[in-house]
Amino acid sequence: MLDRTVQMYNPTHRFDTSAETALPDDPTVAWSHEFQGPVREVAVWNESVYIAAGDGIVTTDKHGNLQWAFESYWSVRSSPAVVDGTVYVGIEDVYALDAATGLKQWAFQETDKWVPSSPAVVAGTVFIGDGNGTIYAVDGNTGTQQWAVQTDGTVRSSPAVVDGSVYVGSNDGTVYALDAATGREEWTFRTDGSVYSSPSVVGGTVYVGSNDETVYALDAATGREQWAFKTDDWVTSSPAVVDGIVYVGSNDGTVYALDAATGREQWAFHADRQVSLSPAVVSDTVYVGIDDVHAVDAATGREQWAFETDSMVHSVTVVDGTIYIGSEDGMVYALDGSGTELSGKTEQAENKTQIYQACARCGADLSDHDPLNFCPECGAKQ
């Protein structure tokens, strides 16, 4: 099993989750919080839950008790990566925050003021893409750029780093394989649509979706197509690959289970709306976030249960028998089998955490200052 401290940047499909503790058939809400803005991503590391909500990162413990928050001036669409006591996240810049306190360690400011890609942190290097179409490698300790590769479209896809290679998609319709040490291009694979999907690399094969309505399996060494599976709409979902099966959603409203070797369909689960979120696969269950969260039998595609939310689901993360759900209406739910269900929503989390503010232009730490309408470092209006 892969090292979770390295792979936690995308807990839905970046490591083998088959040995994790599954949820019971009738999970209950252990706790919930409402935040000021959509909850895009939830990541879990050690005993803390890191939540990308609105224009910042908020942390709680696993019981839902609020710990700290880091606030920026841009909406967060990147999933936090937590590695060796540091939180890496893309907002308008790429930030490294102390995982225990939220204090900024450094900010990488070369990005184009929008970072939709989620960071991959491997061997001390942060790999991430930005809205200007650039893929960066940044030193995880200092925030110093190691290399940059320019593509012809926004990089929404999150990199996968395996065996010294970086695999990532771009809105220019291309899947790139780059040398992790130098950024040198190893191969490219051209599709007929934007590649929002983040690649999953398992057993020497790259699995990735494209907005040309196709799921591809590519040879990781050469980029040669091994098979292609056609759906009826965009595939922005990132594939989860567990035990020889590829689980992936399509905007045609279906979750597909495909044979990883051949691409042959094993089953299809039909939902009411487009499935753009990546499935989370734990034990014998596939968890799918749409407007609700559906638990589907991994072998048959039969629905086991569903949890109703009040808005579009952006994030489904399953760790140690708890499922964490983030939604468009600012809610985070933690479901488990404790039977200690809360009724309704908790009060808003605003003003209940310590806020560490960062200057939107230069990234300067403003937490030691009284409320300001300008940055004392660069003079930018706040």
Side-chain angles (χ1 to χ4, degrees):
M1 184 174 292
L2 297 177
D3 181 0
R4 281 169 168 70
T5 63
V6 172
Q7 300 294 331
M8 188 54 74
Y9 58 88
N10 194 333
T12 61
H13 69 277
R14 295 296 187 180
F15 55 75
D16 178 6
T17 57
S18 58
E20 289 279 2
T21 304
L23 271 73
D25 292 336
D26 55 346
T28 53
V29 179
W31 56 266
S32 64
H33 279 301
E34 184 177 12
F35 295 97
Q36 291 289 309
V39 176
R40 298 290 183 179
E41 299 286 352
V42 179
V44 181
W45 185 73
N46 283 350
E47 296 302 311
S48 293
V49 182
Y50 298 85
I51 301 162
D55 55 2
I57 302 296
V58 181
T59 66
T60 74
D61 63 20
K62 288 187 176 180
H63 304 289
N65 299 306
L66 296 166
Q67 296 177 327
W68 57 259
F70 176 86
E71 186 178 74
S72 181
Y73 292 89
W74 293 68
S75 296
V76 184
R77 295 179 181 272
S78 173
S79 177
V82 191
V83 179
D84 295 334
T86 299
V87 181
Y88 302 94
V89 64
I91 310 178
E92 81 286 6
D93 299 321
V94 181
Y95 290 96
L97 312 175
D98 184 280
T101 66
L103 287 172
K104 185 184 69 178
Q105 297 176 343
W106 52 256
F108 177 72
Q109 301 171 335
E110 299 303 317
T111 58
D112 192 40
K113 298 303 180 185
W114 178 43
V115 186
S117 173
S118 297
V121 185
V122 176
T125 299
V126 182
F127 302 91
I128 196 166
D130 76 355
N132 193 40
T134 308
I135 304 161
Y136 295 96
V138 180
D139 186 283
N141 292 318
T142 65
T144 303
Q145 179 178 305
Q146 296 178 343
W147 53 257
V149 172
Q150 185 66 46
T151 75
D152 293 326
T154 297
V155 179
R156 299 172 184 264
S157 174
S158 301
V161 185
V162 178
D163 294 335
S165 294
V166 181
Y167 303 93
V168 63
S170 170
N171 283 14
D172 64 11
T174 304
V175 180
Y176 293 85
L178 309 173
D179 183 274
T182 66
R184 178 182 57 83
E185 183 180 296
E186 296 176 340
W187 55 258
T188 60
F189 178 83
R190 183 73 182 177
T191 76
D192 291 327
S194 297
V195 182
Y196 293 178
S197 174
S198 301
S200 292
V201 186
V202 177
T205 300
V206 180
Y207 302 93
V208 66
S210 171
N211 290 2
D212 65 4
E213 305 180 351
T214 306
V215 182
Y216 293 96
L218 311 175
D219 184 281
T222 66
R224 185 176 299 112
E225 182 181 310
Q226 296 179 339
W227 54 256
F229 178 83
K230 196 72 174 176
T231 75
D232 293 325
D233 208 327
W234 290 6
V235 181
T236 60
S237 170
S238 302
V241 186
V242 177
D243 296 335
I245 302 295
V246 180
Y247 303 93
V248 64
S250 170
N251 286 14
D252 65 10
T254 306
V255 178
Y256 296 93
L258 311 175
D259 184 279
T262 66
R264 186 177 300 114
E265 182 180 315
Q266 305 299 296
W267 53 255
F269 172 75
H270 300 286
D272 294 332
R273 294 180 180 270
Q274 66 184 40
V275 184
S276 57
L277 193 65
S278 304
V281 186
V282 177
S283 188
D284 298 324
T285 303
V286 181
Y287 300 94
V288 182
I290 311 171
D291 279 353
D292 302 325
V293 175
H294 301 265
V296 178
D297 186 276
T300 65
R302 185 177 300 110
E303 183 173 271
Q304 297 172 335
W305 53 262
F307 175 77
E308 182 178 348
T309 66
D310 293 332
S311 186
M312 179 184 296
V313 175
H314 289 304
S315 178
V316 177
T317 303
V318 186
V319 178
D320 295 333
T322 300
I323 182 169
Y324 302 91
I325 301 166
S327 64
E328 174 70 20
D329 61 359
M331 291 299 298
V332 172
Y333 304 90
L335 309 184
D336 64 14
S338 66
T340 57
E341 182 170 358
L342 303 176
S343 58
K345 300 178 181 179
T346 61
E347 60 184 331
Q348 292 184 349
E350 185 181 22
N351 298 326
K352 292 190 174 293
T353 55
Q354 187 173 3
I355 302 297
Y356 299 97
Q357 291 185 332
C359 172
R361 176 188 291 176
C362 72
D365 182 5
L366 306 181
S367 59
D368 292 332
H369 298 276
D370 292 330
L372 296 171
N373 61 4
F374 69 96
C375 173
E377 298 293 330
C378 69
K381 185 176 180 180
Q382 302 297 305

